[in-house]
Amino acid sequence: MESSQNPSRVGEQPTHSIKKGATFWFTGLSGAGKSSLSQAVKNEIDKMLGDSHKCFILDGDVIRRGLNKDLGFTAEDRAENIRRISEVSKLFAMSGQLCFVAFISPYAKDRAFGKEIHKAEGIPFYECFINSPLEVCEKRDPKGMYKKARAGEIKNFTGVSDPYEAPEHPELDIRTDQLSIEQSVNVILKQL
Ligand SMILES: Nc1ncnc2c1ncn2[C@@H]1O[C@H](COP(=O)(O)OP(=O)(O)O)[C@@H](O)[C@H]1O
Ligand SMILES: [Mg+2]
């Protein structure tokens, strides 16, 4: 489909070849749909290829329990969190995999670092804004985090007591409050 017919495609981006490694960087508020979408896209690609090893998901919820469990939620720790994930996703992409990164990654400069180090190696990096208004995310509240943040039980919670810098020029802008999960998956598959 032409990008002009697809409201989620921003600009005239080249279509990515599924044969090449790449990083799809999902950024957005908690509850926007990063984890759900990355898993749904992986399921589709696994089925298409008959191979469950082409896609790898780096999910904030998982990485923060393991690799980055020494990090908190100050701006410095968030930056270090994203720096490590950027390096890891680059390595996966260099090995030929499609790496889906599902982190809030609230700061534009941290995401720009990820893009920069991919660019330096000639590895495609697609910033995907998983875009849903705060009110919708808060209503979904899949993990009850907003409730806790509003009650003051969680400090530095993005959107409530910590900033979120929305991407200004994302490769994909996916309005998950307007699209179903299936439609959102299709927007990403079209990039491939
Ligand atoms: N188009 C959509 N894309 C992704 N998730 C959606 C969409 N529409 C509704 N949802 C729902 O929104 C919630 C998003 O939660 P989750 O994927 O955990 O968000 P995040 O990982 O960004 O914090 C899920 O309950 C999911 O079913
Ligand atoms: Mg998640």
Side-chain angles (χ1 to χ4, degrees):
M1 196 191 280
E2 295 299 317
S3 62
S4 57
Q5 293 171 274
N6 181 348
S8 298
R9 279 276 284 278
V10 181
E12 292 297 324
Q13 295 301 324
T15 301
H16 183 78
S17 160
I18 201 165
K19 291 192 190 122
K20 268 173 65 181
T23 290
F24 284 78
W25 190 284
F26 290 6
T27 173
L29 294 170
S30 179
K34 302 177 298 298
S35 297
S36 308
L37 262 185
S38 54
Q39 193 55 57
V41 173
K42 175 174 165 51
N43 291 346
E44 273 310 305
I45 296 174
D46 287 356
K47 259 195 284 172
M48 270 162 48
L49 299 179
D51 175 5
S52 63
H53 296 104
K54 178 72 186 179
C55 298
F56 196 82
I57 298 173
L58 295 172
D59 193 294
D61 300 338
V62 179
I63 303 287
R64 275 193 171 276
R65 284 199 297 270
L67 177 66
N68 290 355
K69 71 177 175 189
D70 55 321
L71 300 174
F73 292 88
T74 61
E76 292 74 31
D77 277 8
R78 286 182 189 273
E80 176 60 11
N81 183 40
I82 298 309
R83 188 192 67 79
R84 290 183 199 170
I85 297 316
S86 301
E87 296 284 359
V88 172
S89 66
K90 186 187 81 179
L91 296 176
F92 274 106
M94 284 172 79
S95 80
Q97 285 188 285
L98 297 174
C99 188
F100 292 92
V101 174
F103 279 69
I104 297 173
S105 42
Y107 295 115
K109 108 173 149 15
D110 299 341
R111 298 190 303 264
F113 171 81
K115 187 168 206 163
E116 206 45 55
I117 62 168
H118 280 72
K119 220 170 100 184
E121 298 289 343
I123 306 286
F125 178 98
Y126 302 101
E127 187 181 39
C128 306
F129 186 14
I130 309 305
N131 186 358
S132 177
L134 178 65
E135 308 80 74
V136 174
C137 294
E138 192 156 357
K139 208 176 269 171
R140 289 176 180 163
D141 206 4
K143 289 174 285 179
M145 305 271 271
Y146 283 97
K147 205 162 160 233
K148 285 189 186 158
R150 292 286 179 201
E153 290 165 34
I154 304 176
K155 308 277 174 230
N156 304 111
F157 194 75
T158 302
V160 175
S161 45
D162 227 43
Y164 178 74
E165 297 171 2
E168 285 183 7
H169 305 290
E171 275 72 30
L172 296 174
D173 184 344
I174 304 172
R175 287 294 303 253
T176 65
D177 59 322
Q178 297 172 6
L179 302 174
S180 66
I181 294 190
E182 197 188 4
Q183 288 171 322
S184 306
V185 167
N186 283 333
V187 172
I188 296 158
L189 292 182
K190 282 200 185 95
Q191 188 77 8
L192 296 165

